[in-house]
Amino acid sequence: MPSAFSSIGSLASLALKAANVALISSGNGVSAGAPATCKNPQLSCHNTSAVADTCCFNAPGGQLLQTQFWDTDPSTGPTDSWTIHGLWPDLCDGSYQEDCDPSRAYKNITAILESYGKTSLLSYMNEYWVNDPDDGSNEEFWEHEWETHGTCISTFDTDCYTDYTPQEEVVDFFQDVVNLFQTLDSYQTLASANIVPSSSKTYTSKQIAAALGPNATFNCDGKDLDEIYYFFDVKGSVQTGEFVPTLPIGESSDCPSTGIKYLPKSG
């Protein structure tokens, strides 16, 4: 039912069209090539037979999860925003692959982005895509997300680019994740349903699920809300295609039914 997706996720397919068009022509560093042109894109996870062109069809990882953190101990990111975890390409049955191309397990994400003139993107990532300091640096976090998940998104394969320049797919990955995250303002979506951080108030799983909509799941650390996953199929490539909200496959919320805490971050 189309009306079921009237939540935050339904905005992503529209916003990403404009954001990805802007991406292709942005940046003032190394001159990059162009991702594949997809004339008749298909929606991932909706095919009935194998699709040969995996530059315009995400396979086998066709269900894309935009994952977000709410870290309070220690606090990370702005006090009024969730932060980016990553973009994960699950298989259409809910299973997944990881570390798909060790030859592209780059250990210099910051330097790559700087070489392509992406200083504004880096600044944004250092505020909204941040690691728990107990787990390592932001750079280490970004390296992990690219190596573990980015290399498994088929449309980022190097042969999907015309006039490919080294590591340009890395730039596209981080820009595309940020573009998608910016359409998914979890803090404001929850606040619109009167679900706000509090040291004393608690919420039910049903309240949170209703606020986020059917294409999202959420997780807790004990009773503390700390993760949200948004689920999408993609029509075309991740770089230039349309993110279409979809029902989760293989994931479900693990929070208790009642007594969920949404703790405030420290300022």
Side-chain angles (χ1 to χ4, degrees):
M1 295 182 296
S3 61
F5 289 100
S6 60
S7 66
I8 186 172
S10 64
L11 301 176
S13 62
L14 298 176
L16 260 291
K17 289 180 178 179
N20 285 330
V21 168
L23 165 64
I24 296 173
S25 61
S26 63
N28 295 310
V30 173
S31 178
T37 299
C38 304
K39 296 182 179 179
N40 296 296
Q42 298 183 53
L43 185 62
S44 61
C45 292
H46 286 67
N47 56 310
T48 56
S49 59
V51 176
D53 184 5
T54 56
C55 292
C56 288
F57 183 82
N58 288 278
Q63 181 177 239
L64 278 293
L65 285 64
Q66 202 288 294
T67 54
Q68 301 184 11
F69 278 141
W70 181 261
D71 288 329
T72 61
D73 186 22
S75 294
T76 61
T79 59
D80 62 350
S81 177
W82 287 61
T83 57
I84 301 171
H85 189 167
L87 184 67
W88 302 349
D90 278 10
L91 307 187
C92 300
D93 62 2
S95 60
Y96 56 88
Q97 299 175 323
E98 293 183 339
D99 306 299
C100 293
D101 188 352
S103 71
R104 293 190 293 150
Y106 303 123
K107 300 300 180 184
N108 58 336
I109 301 301
T110 297
I112 292 170
L113 296 178
E114 288 176 338
S115 74
Y116 280 85
K118 293 292 185 175
T119 54
S120 294
L121 174 60
L122 266 174
S123 295
Y124 188 90
M125 289 167 57
N126 274 310
E127 185 173 5
Y128 291 93
W129 198 335
V130 290
N131 203 2
D132 181 331
D134 295 334
D135 294 335
S137 66
N138 293 346
E139 170 70 27
E140 290 171 314
F141 186 22
W142 303 336
E143 291 168 1
H144 168 81
E145 290 301 309
W146 164 253
E147 176 182 358
T148 305
H149 305 292
T151 61
C152 295
I153 299 175
S154 66
T155 66
F156 289 126
D157 288 350
T158 58
D159 60 4
C160 292
Y161 288 81
T162 301
D163 299 323
Y164 173 76
T165 56
Q167 293 90 49
E168 70 172 289
E169 78 280 15
V170 177
V171 181
D172 283 356
F173 171 76
F174 286 100
Q175 183 71 71
D176 290 342
V177 178
V178 165
N179 287 348
L180 182 57
F181 172 75
Q182 289 176 332
T183 72
L184 300 167
D185 188 343
S186 299
Y187 185 92
Q188 185 56 51
T189 297
L190 292 170
S192 295
N194 296 314
I195 300 172
V196 295
S198 171
S199 298
S200 57
K201 192 171 182 179
T202 62
Y203 304 96
T204 67
S205 181
K206 185 176 292 187
Q207 285 176 303
I208 296 170
L212 295 175
N215 73 310
T217 62
F218 49 94
N219 295 321
C220 291
D221 180 5
K223 289 190 173 184
D224 299 344
L225 180 65
D226 70 344
E227 284 187 308
I228 296 174
Y229 298 173
Y230 293 100
F231 292 74
F232 298 90
D233 295 330
V234 181
K235 188 175 184 179
S237 70
V238 168
Q239 296 95 311
T240 64
E242 177 185 357
F243 281 74
V244 179
T246 190
L247 295 175
I249 298 175
E251 296 280 353
S252 59
S253 300
D254 69 0
C255 295
S257 59
T258 61
I260 298 172
K261 298 178 181 179
Y262 182 20
L263 296 174
K265 296 183 183 182
S266 58

